[in-house]
Amino acid sequence: LNLVSQGGFLLSKLLEDYRALHPALHPLLDQQEIDTGALAYAVHRLPAEVTRTTFYFLTPHLPTLYVDPDEKFTPVSTRSRRRYAWQALPGKVHVLLRDGITDITDLLTCLCVYAVEARKIRRRCSTPELLRALYHVQQGDPAVTEDALVEMVHLSPEELAGLRAIWPEDFWIRFRDILTHHEDVALECDFQIDNYNASAAEKWVRQIREVAAKMVNLEDSRLQVHIISSNTHSVGNCLSAFVARRAEAILAWGRENHPELTESDWRVERDLIYALMRHYIDEVEGAYESCVQEERAAGHHRLRATAFTGIAVDLICAQQLDPSLIDPSLTMQRPENPVLIVNVDYAFGQQAEEILANLLFLFGRQVRSVNVLGKAGGLMGGRGDLMLPRATLLQTNDELYPLPNADLDAGLLQRMAGELPIHEGPVLTVSGTLLQNRQLLQFYRRIWKCVGLEMEGSYFARKLISAIEMGIVRQDVASRFAYYISDVPLDTDENLSARMTPQEGVPPLYAITRTILQQVFDQTRR
């Protein structure tokens, strides 16, 4: 952060301090073996042009000259982060940072992983013969064979396979980039750590208000608002009339087109249909348009213009839901009074505090519950287990935030989750996953009894506590936090870059989604 406040620096100035951290997610940091798991984790969270970028311009707001950047520059995607970036010219990328220090910490630590592993590759593989051959590959020369290249790189089959999995489409071109890049990266930061740029979040919440005002009377004193932070699709699927009407058709389509899913054992058949839904929407012509149209008719509006926050929103009017066309595990009565479910996509780190603040100021005392569900790293148990926190612990100051009016217990969750293990205890909120080493995580597990770690919980909790104390929301507003374990950073045998399979991730995700939705529906009847 000191370097960021100076306005510009070289990545090399960070590497010595990064190495001293010995992050748990980078177990082969000091070994010659290529840590393809850590490299994949980092590359998936960096702009796709990382192998050929030497200058990054980091800013939370675009200069006036660069407004409407999609019309002026080439967008650069980031696979596992909703981060906006554009290539201004070859080797120069502009990155639009979200609020708080979390986003810049994540970006810089991932760049450090890339630099460390790229240097290993270069030291082990750089030869004049290989560079000459890769140049001819870049020029499209068919005379250079795959076998000849493999012979020249001096990597183990496992290392080579791990690298190929990161760049499956243009591997040898990316490999040449790494050998010639030398991690010569400069960064310019137009970024003030202690200042909050409110414009994006305020524009975002203004869009929500405009649509919500068309769905319900925001001045109605009987209005109940339930805020849910989730991945949006799990809540949306559970309440989707489109899914309910086509469940059997989606299942039949899946048996023909995705047997890798349908031939597995699923405790809850509807979970299989939800796992197929993503493919069905993407692959069946007209399915997405029909889904949006039917859901809108049932009071479900999708807002996908995120005002550069990266956070999509679903607004759902519970009075328009048909109780017979929701997830069969849920029971609801159509409420007599207006009920609005505000389902927001995941915020990122400290961004969560300002996002929730805007929503609480918008809806005020009409907010009846704040619900947070998602995935987290586990300090106990294994992938697919559930975590039920009664408090969050913010790592930056070791401050514990008990969740006010917690309205979720293990018994309720277990009824929806079947035999999935549930771990109860504080959840640690970290500024960056790559800032955690094994000693630090063991400290929080043993001394603070933390069951897991994530990046937003404490920011949600302390903003909710503050809003209650200031009288912005009601004293009895309910809070419900639940997570499922997506990785176990203390397990050295686990490939932390590997995504969970649908069979691993879908059942726990929908168990906590159903539990929270059932509590929301029960609350609307009180």
Side-chain angles (χ1 to χ4, degrees):
L1 297 181
N2 286 336
L3 288 172
V4 169
S5 65
Q6 293 173 17
F9 59 96
L10 300 178
L11 181 64
S12 57
K13 290 185 175 292
L14 279 176
L15 292 180
E16 183 179 349
D17 291 325
Y18 172 78
R19 286 182 177 278
L21 282 173
H22 295 285
L25 295 190
H26 200 170
L28 303 181
L29 171 68
D30 294 323
Q31 300 182 30
Q32 288 201 4
E33 180 184 350
I34 309 302
D35 195 332
T36 55
L39 183 61
Y41 178 91
V43 168
H44 293 162
R45 288 157 178 77
L46 291 169
E49 294 295 304
V50 61
T51 61
R52 51 191 65 132
T53 299
T54 57
F55 182 87
Y56 292 90
F57 175 57
L58 311 178
T59 178
H61 48 78
L62 290 171
T64 304
L65 181 64
Y66 296 158
V67 295
D68 301 322
D70 289 344
E71 304 295 325
K72 298 167 181 157
F73 307 116
T74 303
V76 178
S77 64
T78 303
R79 174 177 169 180
S80 297
R81 288 283 182 261
R82 292 188 300 273
R83 181 179 284 133
Y84 294 92
W86 299 268
Q87 186 180 54
L89 52 93
K92 182 176 183 178
V93 169
H94 291 174
V95 180
L96 189 63
L97 296 168
R98 288 163 286 188
D99 301 312
I101 65 171
T102 315
D103 206 13
I104 197 164
T105 303
D106 177 76
L107 178 70
L108 294 177
T109 49
C110 286
L111 278 173
C112 287
V113 177
Y114 171 77
V116 168
E117 295 304 317
R119 189 175 190 183
K120 290 185 194 177
I121 295 170
R122 190 175 68 254
R123 286 184 169 181
R124 289 178 54 186
C125 301
S126 287
T127 65
E129 294 78 16
L130 178 58
L131 277 175
R132 186 180 303 114
L134 290 174
Y135 173 75
H136 287 291
V137 169
Q138 189 180 46
Q139 299 303 310
D141 185 350
V144 182
T145 66
E146 178 80 9
D147 290 343
L149 292 170
V150 171
E151 187 71 23
M152 288 187 234
V153 296
H154 306 300
L155 296 175
S156 71
E158 294 76 17
E159 289 172 321
L160 194 58
L163 292 173
R164 280 185 179 279
I166 300 173
W167 295 286
E169 296 179 358
D170 56 352
F171 173 66
W172 291 114
I173 303 300
R174 294 289 189 163
F175 202 87
R176 181 179 184 274
D177 290 344
I178 291 172
L179 297 186
T180 56
H181 188 268
H182 283 242
E183 303 78 62
D184 296 325
V185 174
L187 302 107
E188 180 182 342
C189 306
D190 178 15
F191 187 83
Q192 292 179 294
I193 298 299
D194 296 326
N195 282 2
Y196 164 57
N197 172 33
S199 58
E202 290 174 359
K203 182 178 180 181
W204 174 82
V205 82
R206 188 162 59 246
Q207 294 175 169
I208 294 173
R209 190 190 191 288
E210 289 173 357
V211 176
K214 296 176 183 177
M215 299 172 63
V216 295
N217 179 6
L218 296 179
E219 305 303 321
D220 190 337
S221 61
R222 300 170 302 158
L223 174 65
Q224 292 188 26
V225 176
H226 297 270
I227 298 170
I228 303 177
S229 169
S230 74
N231 54 23
T232 69
H233 67 74
S234 65
V235 171
N237 284 341
C238 283
L239 304 181
S240 173
F242 178 89
V243 173
R245 291 190 180 106
R246 289 168 177 77
E248 291 303 318
I250 293 170
L251 186 58
W253 177 86
R255 291 193 180 106
E256 182 176 348
N257 294 277
H258 287 277
E260 76 280 3
L261 293 177
T262 58
E263 291 174 3
S264 301
D265 292 329
W266 295 79
R267 185 182 70 87
V268 180
E269 184 180 78
R270 189 55 67 99
D271 286 349
L272 168 58
I273 293 168
Y274 295 147
L276 290 167
M277 183 63 177
R278 177 169 63 89
H279 300 286
Y280 187 82
I281 287 292
D282 289 343
E283 298 169 26
V284 175
E285 185 177 357
Y288 177 77
E289 292 76 12
S290 297
C291 180
V292 171
Q293 184 176 1
E294 289 190 31
E295 288 179 352
R296 178 163 292 190
H300 180 170
H301 292 252
R302 304 179 183 216
L303 282 68
R304 294 298 177 260
T306 68
F308 292 127
T309 63
I311 302 176
V313 184
D314 286 1
L315 297 176
I316 302 166
C317 178
Q319 282 187 308
Q320 292 183 251
L321 293 175
D322 184 337
S324 68
L325 295 177
I326 63 174
D327 185 280
S329 298
L330 298 174
T331 58
M332 73 165 288
Q333 297 175 4
R334 190 169 277 157
E336 296 180 4
N337 296 323
V339 174
L340 183 67
I341 297 173
V342 182
N343 185 31
V344 300
D345 206 349
Y346 296 131
F348 190 63
Q350 192 174 359
Q351 181 193 33
E353 190 161 21
E354 300 306 333
I355 288 299
L356 182 59
N358 275 277
L359 292 173
L360 296 180
F361 275 117
L362 172 60
F363 296 111
R365 300 180 67 81
Q366 294 161 324
V367 175
R368 300 302 177 89
S369 72
V370 173
N371 308 268
V372 177
L373 65 93
K375 59 185 179 180
L379 298 179
M380 298 178 64
R383 282 162 63 119
D385 291 1
L386 304 181
M387 291 189 292
L388 187 57
R390 293 300 177 210
T392 66
L393 178 66
L394 184 59
Q395 188 181 52
T396 53
N397 59 8
D398 279 353
E399 188 164 340
L400 193 72
Y401 298 103
L403 300 178
N405 306 316
D407 189 29
L408 208 57
D409 63 52
L412 292 169
L413 193 53
Q414 199 76 70
R415 284 198 287 274
M416 291 292 187
E419 298 179 354
L420 291 175
I422 299 174
H423 308 282
E424 294 190 70
V427 170
L428 178 68
T429 301
V430 301
S431 295
T433 51
L434 280 165
L435 296 178
Q436 315 306 311
N437 58 37
R438 295 182 63 81
Q439 291 87 346
L440 199 60
L441 294 179
Q442 291 287 12
F443 167 79
Y444 283 105
R445 182 171 76 166
R446 293 176 181 175
I447 304 302
W448 284 95
K449 308 301 181 186
C450 290
V451 296
L453 66 153
E454 48 76 66
M455 299 180 72
E456 295 83 28
S458 291
Y459 298 116
F460 280 126
R462 79 177 182 185
K463 183 52 63 176
L464 178 59
I465 293 169
S466 173
I468 292 173
E469 291 176 348
M470 294 173 63
I472 296 168
V473 298
R474 298 159 55 106
Q475 289 285 330
D476 62 350
V477 62
S479 66
R480 308 178 184 102
F481 285 52
Y483 302 91
Y484 69 94
I485 296 176
S486 59
D487 56 77
V488 187
L490 289 173
D491 185 352
T492 56
D493 296 327
E494 186 175 295
N495 181 355
L496 296 169
S497 66
R499 291 189 171 188
M500 297 182 77
T501 65
Q503 292 85 346
E504 289 177 306
V506 169
L509 168 62
Y510 279 89
I512 58 180
T513 302
R514 292 184 182 103
T515 306
I516 284 177
L517 283 175
Q518 189 60 64
Q519 288 297 94
V520 168
F521 291 147
D522 290 347
Q523 190 177 359
T524 63
R525 296 201 296 266
R526 295 173 197 161

